Amino acid sequence: MKTLPFYKNTYKTEDPKAVFDEFMSSLRYTISTWSFFVDWSKVKEKALRYNTELNLLNSLIGSTDIENEFIALCSKYPEVKKVLPLLIAIRHEKMVNMRVFDEIISEEFMALDVFSGNDSVKLLTFFVNSGLKSLFEDRSVKNLVDYVLGIEVGMDTNARKNRTGTAMEIIVEKLLKEYVNEKGYEYGIQMTPAKILERWNISVPSDKSERRFDFVVNVEGKLFMFEVNFYSGGGSKLKATAGEYIGLHKILADSGFNLIWITDGAGWKSDHLHLEEAFNKNDYIFNLSMLNKGILKELF
């Protein structure tokens, strides 16, 4: 930890242990807004994208000759085939290369592009064995447009982790811009070493080829690299992250660059030892409370 007047002015101490205790005590349990739960605009857009195809398939619900009517519908309107995987909550692009193994379906079945081809036997095999035939036949679903809206809501929950990360970046960028714009400094978002070299003609070392710094601020030729994350839960990821940023800090510091790691979340309470190790070895580790109290002014 690099001693800053901020610690003495704000926490009345410059003792690393005391500062770390303040850091831990001010961790947030959540940064989630209401949009965290479901991104409704995205869900509705995806569901309504196939409104025509889904309404065509609605005609099969409750059919007494469903297999023949299904093949006839797919022959007349082949575009409906692309939405079939969605009805079992799988994106089309993932399904076409999927292989299924059981006594009935051979490996080669899913290796073929069933949904854009003209093999009615394989298409019907998928329709029956995936359970879609029963879904249509017993009227479990009344309207496929509403049904797919529900599927998209469920699939959207998988994106919650990304939304938390995005929310953290949005918060940090808002605070960062206030100070950067006030001073007239340049900054970039999601900057790779190659992008930094192209924009500012400054060569930055890195620990891995795919490294993307969440933010990079150029203070009159002196670069500050920011990494931002939020951990609401514990796990082995925390230890790996702390170790990663200890290593990255050393690589950058040895070449005269600054790494600022902004992290938060109650997940760190379950693994404070690895975070404290990084806190002692790295120059700058802040949380959102520190940013809100103005530590970035001192940093620049």
Side-chain angles (χ1 to χ4, degrees):
M1 183 191 86
K2 183 169 284 189
T3 300
L4 296 173
F6 170 88
Y7 300 129
K8 187 175 182 179
N9 296 336
T10 306
Y11 302 134
K12 311 307 177 187
T13 181
E14 293 180 291
D15 175 56
K17 175 62 177 173
V19 173
F20 181 73
D21 289 344
E22 291 284 352
F23 180 101
M24 292 299 297
S25 68
S26 59
L27 290 173
R28 300 187 180 203
Y29 282 87
T30 182
I31 53 171
S32 300
T33 61
W34 289 112
S35 62
F36 166 79
F37 297 102
V38 178
D39 186 340
W40 284 106
S41 60
K42 184 179 76 173
V43 164
K44 291 175 182 177
E45 179 189 351
K46 287 187 175 181
L48 294 176
R49 183 183 303 168
Y50 302 113
N51 189 63
T52 301
E53 293 83 352
L54 293 171
N55 278 306
L56 285 169
L57 286 167
N58 272 336
S59 65
L60 298 176
I61 295 175
S63 169
T64 56
D65 187 22
I66 193 163
E67 290 190 10
N68 287 325
E69 289 188 19
F70 170 70
I71 294 301
L73 183 69
C74 289
S75 297
K76 187 173 183 179
Y77 303 104
E79 63 271 20
V80 303
K81 291 186 286 186
K82 66 185 177 185
V83 304
L84 295 175
L86 185 57
L87 300 182
I88 55 173
I90 299 177
R91 301 290 180 202
H92 176 270
E93 59 271 16
K94 291 187 177 181
M95 176 60 85
V96 293
N97 293 317
M98 188 177 291
R99 289 174 168 78
V100 179
F101 297 88
D102 67 10
E103 308 86 36
I104 301 171
I105 304 175
S106 68
E107 176 186 349
E108 290 75 22
F109 171 77
M110 295 307 296
L112 298 174
D113 194 352
V114 175
F115 306 104
S116 60
N118 297 310
D119 193 325
S120 59
V121 174
K122 291 185 183 294
L123 188 60
L124 187 60
T125 300
F126 167 80
F127 184 66
V128 173
N129 290 324
S130 66
L132 285 177
K133 176 185 175 183
S134 297
L135 186 75
F136 281 82
E137 212 166 29
D138 63 15
R139 297 177 183 268
S140 298
V141 172
K142 308 300 182 186
N143 184 295
L144 290 176
V145 176
D146 294 339
Y147 171 72
V148 166
L149 182 66
I151 286 178
E152 289 291 356
V153 168
M155 295 174 78
D156 184 68
T157 59
N158 294 327
R160 285 177 181 168
K161 181 179 179 181
N162 290 334
R163 280 201 287 273
T164 300
T166 301
M168 184 70 173
E169 290 176 17
I170 290 171
I171 292 169
V172 172
E173 184 180 7
K174 182 179 178 181
L175 294 168
L176 192 61
K177 283 176 70 174
E178 291 180 13
Y179 305 119
V180 169
N181 290 341
E182 179 184 338
K183 296 293 185 180
Y185 300 142
E186 292 185 83
Y187 85 103
I189 302 171
Q190 296 297 317
M191 300 283 284
T192 63
K195 286 184 177 179
I196 294 170
L197 181 64
E198 180 182 355
R199 180 170 178 180
W200 293 310
N201 196 31
I202 299 174
S203 181
V204 175
S206 181
D207 55 340
K208 51 187 179 182
S209 59
E210 69 274 18
R211 168 67 63 190
R212 285 179 179 270
F213 298 103
D214 292 319
F215 306 103
V216 179
V217 178
N218 186 339
V219 181
E220 299 173 354
K222 185 177 182 180
L223 299 187
F224 292 80
M225 268 67 77
F226 286 76
E227 288 288 344
V228 176
N229 42 51
F230 185 94
Y231 293 103
S232 55
S236 59
K237 174 68 174 175
L238 300 179
K239 176 182 178 181
T241 300
E244 176 184 346
Y245 290 141
I246 289 173
L248 180 58
H249 166 264
K250 187 176 187 312
I251 290 171
L252 292 173
D254 287 347
S255 297
F257 296 101
N258 301 281
L259 174 66
I260 295 85
W261 178 18
I262 300 174
T263 190
D264 214 310
W268 284 115
K269 293 182 182 293
S270 66
D271 192 7
H272 67 279
L273 292 178
H274 290 104
L275 180 60
E276 186 170 14
E277 180 186 2
F279 198 84
N280 290 329
K281 291 182 177 180
N282 287 25
D283 290 336
Y284 309 112
I285 300 182
F286 308 143
N287 62 17
L288 291 177
S289 175
M290 290 175 170
L291 264 63
N292 284 326
K293 290 176 179 178
I295 199 168
L296 288 179
K297 287 183 179 179
E298 213 168 277
L299 177 69
F300 296 133

